[in-house]
Amino acid sequence: MATAFIVQSFQLKGRKLTPDPIKTAKTAEACIALAERMGEYKAGVFAFSQEVDIETDTYDEPRVLLRLGTLPPGLPE
C-alpha cells in the first residue's frame, strides 16, 4: 500500500465551482502547505490523503487534511 497526498482546487466561473487539475505532494505536510498557498487565490481547496493498493487498484476512504473556502457538496468532512 502507498499513500497518495492530493490537493483538489476549485475556481468560480460565474456561480459554478469548476475543479482544477489535481496536484500531488510527497508528504502530508507538503500537501497542506500547497493547499494553503493555493487557498490564497482559489475559490476553494480540498486536501486529502488516501491509501492506494496499486496491485489490486483499490482505494481506502480519503482522510481529510484541509478544507478551505467554498467547496462543492459531497466532499468528506
Side-chain angles (χ1 to χ4, degrees), residues 7-72:
V7 178
Q8 175 67 69
S9 61
F10 298 87
Q11 55 185 313
L12 205 52
K13 291 188 175 178
R15 293 185 182 190
K16 184 177 179 182
L17 281 174
T18 305
D20 295 317
I22 64 167
K23 305 270 187 193
T24 59
K26 293 185 182 208
T27 66
E29 294 80 13
C31 187
I32 292 168
L34 175 61
E36 288 174 335
R37 284 192 306 275
M38 293 174 77
E40 294 179 10
Y41 60 91
K42 295 292 184 177
V45 181
F46 180 68
F48 64 99
S49 66
Q50 193 168 32
E51 295 295 318
V52 180
D53 187 337
I54 297 168
E55 291 179 13
T56 61
D57 196 33
T58 56
Y59 300 81
D60 286 350
E61 290 294 315
R63 186 173 69 94
V64 177
L65 300 174
L66 187 66
R67 294 172 57 100
L68 295 172
T70 304
L71 298 170

